[in-house]
Amino acid sequence: MLAYVAKRVGMVIPTFIGITLLAFSLIHMIPGNAVEALSGERGMSPERYQQLSHQLGLDRPLRTQYFDYVGHLLHGDFGRSINTHDGVLQEFLTLFPATVELALCALALALLLGLPAGMLAAVKRNSVLDYSVMGVSLTGYSMPIFWWALLLIQLFSVTLGWTPVSGRIDIAFDFPAPTGFMLIDAWMSGEDGAVASALWHLILPAIALGTIPLAVIARMTRSAMLEVLREDYVRTARAKGLSWFSVVCVHALRNALIPVITVIGLQVGTLLTGAILTETIFSWPGIGKWLVEAIHRRDYPVVQGGILMSATIVIVVNLAVDLLYGVVNPRIRHNS
Amino acid sequence: MALLDIKQLSIGFGRPGAPLIAVDGLDLSIEEGEVVGVVGESGSGKSVTSLAIMGLIDAPGRVSAQRMELAGRDLLALSPRERRAMLGRDVAMIFQDPMSSLNPCFTVAYQLMETLRIHVGGNARARRLLALDLLRQVDMPDPARRLDAYPHQLSGGMCQRVMVAMAIACNPRLLIADEPTTALDVTIQAQMLDLLLELQRQRGMALMLITHDLGVVAQIASRVVVMYAGQVVETGALPRIFKTPRHPYTQALLAALPENNLGRKRLQTIPGVVPGQYDRPAGCLLHPRCARAAPRCVSERPALEGRPGSQVRCHFPLTGEEPRA
Amino acid sequence: MNRPAAPGPQAAPSPLVELWHYFSRNRGAVFGLFTVLLLFFLALFADWIAPHSAIEQYRQSALAPPAWQDGGSRQFLLGTDAVGRDILSRLIHGARLSLFIGLVSVSLSLSLGIVLGLLAGFLRGWVEFAIMRLMDIMLALPSLLLAIAVVAILGPGLINAMYAIAVVMLPHYVRLMRASVITELSKDYVAASRIAGAGTLRLMFDTVLPNCTAPLIVQATLGFSSAILDAAALGFLGLGAQPPTPEWGSMLASALEFIMSAWWVVTFPGLAILISVLAFNLMGDGLRDALDPKLKS
């Protein structure tokens, strides 16, 4: 198992270095010059030009610039936003919990509905239920989620008036946010109705963001389950006198989960992509919205840092999933 | 009364319009403590029969019978729950491929203790001790260490021992072994048969041994049921059935045994294959492959005749006086 | 006894006929195919089919509801947007754009992916290492984020969005191609044509490539759907096609403020995206099943 962990971690390092190179070169690949691109049509004073060039580190040799960049990264210095002059890492860390909260709720929703739906479809193969689950999930998979989010708002917020349209909590509430996770902070504040308000704000974005993972997980669970149900050990489990429920939910599911876990890991990318769109629509103050705004403002240090951090998250989560995979699958745990 | 008593068992798959008949009017009875060999080529319906006894045939498969009794209980009248309660306790089964028959995600201990949990109960510690004892009974080398092993860490022979331990865990009165040695190394095969026979004698359980290998049957069975295309074609006690087979198919199976071909250049084989869904002939099902087929065999399907325990389904049964092929 | 007549000696059906045989059994796939054909038809003849120009503004009938609603008129079947442009006409012209984006980005990505995949599969060694690590890096970035990064470099716009989408899809083709090449190279027919003296280039394009087409066709079909989806997402974020281009995603972006008042401005462009993406996905799934020899009985 240790060797397996070491091998996986080792494979990630070149990718990691590559990501820093990519983030670094982003600023140099801009046609012309990043500072000129920033100045826009108004132009800028030579002093301001010098100052910006220096701030972006563009006045030194390329190789020095890269090593400086990596050195700064290692010290937690991701540069400063051109727009707010705050540290990129600090901004990121402030906004990140909002995205995590949203993404976790979306993923929980996807798992809670997707796993049972996929299992039911597999067990009742070729039934009306199976066809409905597959039809709905293919539609969900093909859904432009920015439009889906608008439809949800149109129905639940505009027509029915059940849920708020944007933000994380009602503006009437004002309490300290030590964790950044609104549900937890609201709960800790002890204010009446705070948790409910946070939940009501969370639910629509979570549905919008969870739709594609839900569809993918349902489809994957179904096909993994169908494969596993044909296996000999399922017959053995039945021959023991186990109930159909235990056979499916213990013996079959445990094996079917192995490929499904990999797919769940791959959903991190989908969730981040989705967060960019969902947060923009619901004015959710997370890193997705932050990045889109940075691009519109040509705030390159933020774009650079955001890309770097997002890629890091994807890599780390996939690494974690790989390791978890080893825990779930005894064949990998012992054969390293 | 017999432990297992089956009359006119039929099993079909596929659409009602174009059914695939897997088993057709099968009669089978097994006494307490008896060792019965069920023999036939692949496709003869022997495995399907055992799955039907276990109640493991799912839709679209259809099982029907005049009578199907196990340990005095009418299997056809039981609810699925009552039927499941009999599995493992009254009848247990081991399968052909031990490596894939154990769940790769659970330890040996878990899978053994699970069977005990359903039927015996008791706390986890007691069950674990029982599981260890079971591994000893099946001659598992280093049983205490194997308890926490995963199936992929065991050899095929050891996996089959675990399967046997699981099957005998709750003292079943009937053990069905479906080709228990086919997937094993030749050196392990004899050990496995010895083990099964020893357990059978110790516990006085009945053993239904399904195999395509008459040699295996000759070693341990006291009675043989020969199946062809979903039907019983001959039943008889050993060694009579080996000395004077009465059905041409039994004779052909015997003639194909390597030990009966010593000194010959080529192994004798049976030409053709078992009929499938679309080519089930009229008359005797064997006639397209039978050297002795007469016009009557083509038009009229023979019935299973004779006294109980020694029956044959042939218009012209062998008498033992024919010159041997 | 009724026996089905034994099949007489007959010519093996052509691969295309056989493909259609399996494909046509999947009703969803056939539906997808016909929708895709319809989309191509609309795209090709948009100028003749669309009742109005895509950008002409009928100011006096701005935000007119669809024809079947109170206040709607036959003149604008699906209503008009905030500046009085006919939504139906914009959708039809949008189909042309979406398919064009799909076609260009898939072709770009596919051809580059084939070349890189062939190189990685044939040359192995450090070339393979470099190419595959680069692809790993690209895969580590969430698709839309990578597209955004490319747009951040090149600047917003339709053409740049196509490049961005092509870049995003590239790793999938490279990986697929390399895996197929390595599988094919281990087969006997490759050894045979090597012995016959075929050079590496000939081996790559004449011998190995034709045998890897099936998975590439499936991936390319599915690529169309993700290209349409990503282009719409970029357009929605204002990073893709710029107004007044009738691109479905950017149509939605400008419809945001009318979510309370004019449902048709929001609903129809999204429906167009959903239907096209669904059609390509259905078709891709059907093609994969039809081309996968494992599932053939």
Side-chain angles (χ1 to χ4, degrees):
Chain A
M1 186 70 191
L2 255 178
Y4 174 74
V5 174
K7 196 175 145 205
R8 288 284 142 169
V9 174
M11 275 170 66
V12 160
I13 291 171
T15 316
F16 232 65
I17 296 173
I19 295 286
T20 61
L21 266 171
L22 182 86
F24 168 73
S25 47
L26 180 80
I27 219 161
H28 296 278
M29 287 195 286
I30 296 161
N33 177 321
V35 181
E36 277 167 21
L38 273 172
S39 70
E41 286 154 15
R42 282 168 296 156
M44 60 171 69
S45 66
E47 297 80 47
R48 174 80 179 134
Y49 185 93
Q50 281 299 321
Q51 186 204 339
L52 260 179
S53 290
H54 186 73
Q55 190 190 334
L56 294 174
L58 297 177
D59 50 358
R60 279 159 294 161
L62 212 54
R63 202 180 337 166
T64 330
Q65 281 184 44
Y66 175 67
F67 285 117
D68 280 357
Y69 177 66
V70 174
H72 285 143
L73 288 183
L74 290 175
H75 288 98
D77 178 7
F78 284 59
R80 288 188 173 278
S81 159
I82 293 171
N83 191 40
T84 63
H85 304 288
D86 286 331
V88 170
L89 185 62
Q90 285 66 39
E91 283 197 351
F92 176 87
L93 291 177
T94 316
L95 298 171
F96 190 49
T99 301
V100 173
E101 187 174 42
L102 177 59
L104 281 183
C105 285
L107 191 60
L109 198 77
L111 284 174
L112 242 48
L113 295 176
L115 280 177
M119 282 167 67
L120 275 176
V123 171
K124 304 262 174 215
R125 190 183 187 183
N126 291 337
S127 66
V128 176
L129 183 85
D130 182 18
Y131 290 130
S132 328
V133 168
M134 284 303 96
V136 169
S137 69
L138 189 68
T139 311
Y141 181 69
S142 309
M143 189 67 87
I145 63 165
F146 43 96
W147 178 64
W148 176 228
L150 292 179
L151 286 192
L152 288 173
I153 293 176
Q154 215 169 33
L155 178 62
F156 291 105
S157 304
V158 178
T159 312
L160 296 170
W162 289 356
T163 56
V165 180
S166 65
R168 296 179 75 189
I169 197 158
D170 202 282
I171 42 166
F173 292 99
D174 185 25
F175 45 75
T179 64
F181 293 94
M182 192 55 83
L183 282 176
I184 298 174
D185 291 337
W187 179 67
M188 282 177 16
S189 77
E191 285 190 38
D192 270 348
V195 174
S197 171
L199 256 181
W200 275 123
H201 279 79
L202 185 57
I203 193 147
L204 274 198
I207 292 176
L209 185 54
T211 300
I212 289 179
L214 167 62
V216 175
I217 289 170
R219 277 162 69 95
M220 190 65 214
T221 306
R222 175 180 178 271
S223 70
M225 205 70 188
L226 279 180
E227 208 146 286
V228 167
L229 283 176
R230 278 195 293 265
E231 295 281 350
D232 286 350
Y233 52 76
V234 168
R235 190 181 55 188
T236 309
R238 294 180 66 193
K240 280 178 176 179
L242 281 173
S243 66
W244 185 228
F245 182 81
S246 316
V247 171
V248 171
C249 293
V250 178
H251 282 265
L253 182 63
R254 181 69 190 268
N255 286 278
L257 271 185
I258 294 172
V260 172
I261 281 179
T262 315
V263 166
I264 295 171
L266 293 175
Q267 293 315 301
V268 183
T270 313
L271 285 169
L272 278 174
T273 289
I276 294 173
L277 296 163
T278 314
E279 291 180 1
T280 306
I281 291 168
F282 288 95
S283 302
W284 191 265
I287 54 167
K289 185 162 170 281
W290 177 60
L291 265 174
V292 172
E293 283 169 3
I295 293 211
H296 280 296
R297 292 191 181 127
R298 298 173 182 266
D299 194 342
Y300 292 114
V302 170
V303 177
Q304 233 179 351
I307 285 173
L308 190 70
M309 293 306 291
S310 310
T312 308
I313 294 163
V314 173
I315 293 172
V316 168
V317 171
N318 278 321
L319 181 69
V321 167
D322 264 359
L323 299 182
L324 185 65
Y325 191 87
V327 175
V328 179
N329 189 347
R331 274 167 290 199
I332 288 189
R333 202 186 320 161
H334 297 283
N335 286 0
S336 49
Chain B
M1 196 182 66
L3 173 66
L4 176 72
D5 191 4
I6 297 176
K7 281 273 173 315
Q8 293 296 310
L9 172 71
S10 292
I11 305 168
F13 295 93
R15 285 172 290 119
L20 186 156
I21 299 161
V23 173
D24 182 11
L26 174 127
D27 294 350
L28 177 70
S29 79
I30 296 178
E31 303 293 326
E32 298 265 6
E34 192 186 17
V35 180
V36 175
V38 178
V39 183
E41 285 166 279
S42 19
S44 59
K46 35 195 206 330
S47 295
V48 183
T49 303
S50 60
L51 288 177
I53 298 170
M54 301 290 286
L56 297 182
I57 305 262
D58 296 314
R62 290 176 302 276
V63 179
S64 62
Q66 246 170 42
R67 184 160 72 225
M68 206 168 162
E69 286 180 12
L70 178 67
R73 303 183 72 182
D74 181 2
L75 293 180
L76 297 169
L78 293 180
S79 72
R81 177 189 286 269
E82 291 170 318
R83 192 122 189 225
R84 277 205 308 272
M86 294 184 77
L87 293 182
R89 213 183 50 198
D90 294 293
V91 55
M93 183 162 176
I94 56 182
F95 300 98
Q96 176 167 355
D97 189 349
M99 303 284 256
S100 64
S101 292
L102 288 171
N103 194 322
C105 281
F106 295 101
T107 60
V108 168
Y110 179 92
Q111 301 191 47
L112 277 171
M113 288 161 68
E114 186 182 42
T115 313
L116 293 166
R117 193 187 70 221
I118 312 168
H119 299 292
V120 181
N123 63 28
R125 249 181 88 130
R127 288 204 306 268
R128 200 179 153 89
L129 285 175
L130 273 175
L132 182 62
D133 189 48
L134 283 167
L135 285 187
R136 287 209 186 91
Q137 290 184 46
V138 296
D139 301 331
M140 175 73 86
D142 199 358
R145 200 162 62 87
R146 304 290 183 223
L147 216 43
D148 292 308
Y150 284 91
H152 71 270
Q153 295 168 309
L154 305 179
S155 68
M158 287 197 271
C159 282
Q160 194 63 301
R161 282 180 204 277
V162 174
M163 285 297 291
V164 174
M166 228 152 71
I168 61 165
C170 307
N171 282 314
R173 294 159 77 179
L174 171 64
L175 175 64
I176 303 175
D178 186 357
E179 307 265 10
T181 59
T182 311
L184 303 179
D185 286 348
V186 183
T187 47
I188 312 286
Q189 287 185 355
Q191 283 180 27
M192 189 53 66
L193 286 178
D194 285 348
L195 174 69
L196 283 175
L197 204 58
E198 189 193 317
L199 290 168
Q200 181 269 332
R201 283 198 191 115
Q202 278 171 8
R203 295 166 174 250
M205 64 184 175
L207 178 62
M208 174 173 163
L209 180 71
I210 297 169
T211 177
H212 64 275
D213 185 352
L214 275 176
V216 168
V217 170
Q219 284 177 49
I220 69 171
S222 57
R223 199 157 59 81
V224 177
V225 175
V226 182
M227 287 186 69
Y228 182 78
Q231 294 188 326
V232 174
V233 293
E234 181 168 8
T235 67
L238 277 165
R240 192 282 295 162
I241 199 164
F242 275 19
K243 282 201 185 122
T244 55
R246 295 175 61 207
H247 198 282
Y249 181 64
T250 316
Q251 190 199 31
L253 281 179
L254 283 168
L257 278 179
E259 47 267 51
N260 290 339
N261 282 276
L262 295 176
R264 287 176 203 261
K265 279 205 176 122
R266 291 186 61 157
L267 212 59
Q268 285 197 32
T269 55
I270 311 170
V273 292
V274 180
Q277 182 175 9
Y278 298 109
D279 54 357
R280 239 175 137 74
C284 175
L285 292 174
L286 185 67
H287 84 255
R289 301 173 73 187
C290 183
R292 296 160 50 88
R296 189 178 166 203
C297 302
V298 181
S299 57
E300 189 188 336
R301 189 164 292 180
L304 193 61
E305 285 169 338
R307 54 185 175 75
S310 179
Q311 294 166 302
V312 64
R313 188 190 292 273
C314 185
H315 292 308
F316 309 103
L318 302 163
T319 55
E321 267 118 59
E322 298 83 357
R324 282 220 127 158
Chain C
M1 181 76 202
N2 281 332
R3 280 194 185 198
Q10 54 183 189
S14 89
L16 270 180
V17 172
E18 201 188 351
L19 181 64
W20 174 249
H21 171 73
Y22 288 109
F23 186 83
S24 60
R25 285 201 301 205
N26 183 339
R27 260 185 280 167
V30 175
F31 170 79
L33 174 69
F34 280 109
T35 311
V36 167
L37 289 179
L38 179 71
L39 281 172
F40 271 102
F41 179 77
L42 288 179
L44 277 176
F45 302 104
D47 292 335
W48 289 276
I49 297 168
H52 301 277
S53 140
I55 47 173
E56 191 178 343
Q57 303 181 352
Y58 298 87
R59 289 294 175 122
Q60 70 287 3
S61 37
L63 286 180
W68 60 87
Q69 261 202 344
D70 279 347
S73 79
R74 286 266 189 79
Q75 197 190 351
F76 307 110
L77 275 179
L78 298 182
T80 59
D81 65 8
V83 290
R85 292 174 295 202
D86 179 42
I87 289 183
L88 178 62
S89 308
R90 284 177 71 73
L91 288 181
I92 292 172
H93 282 276
R96 172 183 278 184
L97 265 181
S98 285
L99 290 181
F100 178 69
I101 293 171
L103 208 60
V104 172
S105 45
V106 167
S107 326
L108 264 178
S109 193
L110 186 65
S111 37
L112 194 59
I114 287 176
V115 171
L116 287 178
L118 281 173
L119 283 176
F122 267 92
L123 299 181
R124 311 305 288 267
W126 67 267
V127 176
E128 182 189 26
F129 182 84
I131 293 176
M132 295 324 286
R133 286 296 81 73
L134 184 64
M135 295 306 129
D136 279 353
I137 294 164
M138 290 164 71
L139 279 176
L141 286 168
S143 64
L144 190 58
L145 195 65
L146 182 57
I148 285 180
V150 175
V151 171
I153 296 169
L154 301 175
L158 186 65
I159 307 293
N160 292 344
M162 290 193 295
Y163 292 143
I165 293 163
V167 169
V168 168
M169 292 191 293
L170 185 62
H172 300 281
Y173 295 111
V174 176
R175 284 191 153 191
L176 191 68
M177 196 63 219
R178 170 179 162 273
S180 311
V181 168
I182 290 175
T183 323
E184 292 298 321
L185 278 183
S186 66
K187 291 188 181 159
D188 289 340
Y189 76 90
V190 177
S193 88
R194 269 215 173 114
I195 292 165
T200 302
L201 267 183
R202 191 189 167 83
L203 214 55
M204 276 184 185
F205 289 98
D206 265 17
T207 314
V208 172
L209 185 57
N211 285 291
C212 308
T213 41
L216 284 176
I217 290 174
V218 174
Q219 188 70 36
T221 312
L222 297 173
F224 252 88
S225 70
S226 64
I228 293 175
L229 209 49
D230 284 356
L234 284 176
F236 179 77
L237 291 172
L239 302 172
Q242 301 296 310
T245 319
E247 198 273 328
W248 294 339
S250 53
M251 282 172 76
L252 269 177
S254 50
L256 267 181
E257 47 191 303
F258 303 105
I259 193 167
M260 309 267 185
S261 50
W263 62 270
W264 57 93
V265 187
V266 180
T267 307
F268 294 124
L271 210 56
I273 302 171
L274 175 62
I275 289 172
S276 336
V277 174
L278 193 58
F280 277 106
N281 277 340
L282 281 169
M283 199 173 115
D285 277 4
L287 271 176
R288 176 172 50 212
D289 293 349
L291 287 168
D292 188 349
K294 264 191 302 184
L295 297 170
K296 288 182 185 176
S297 50

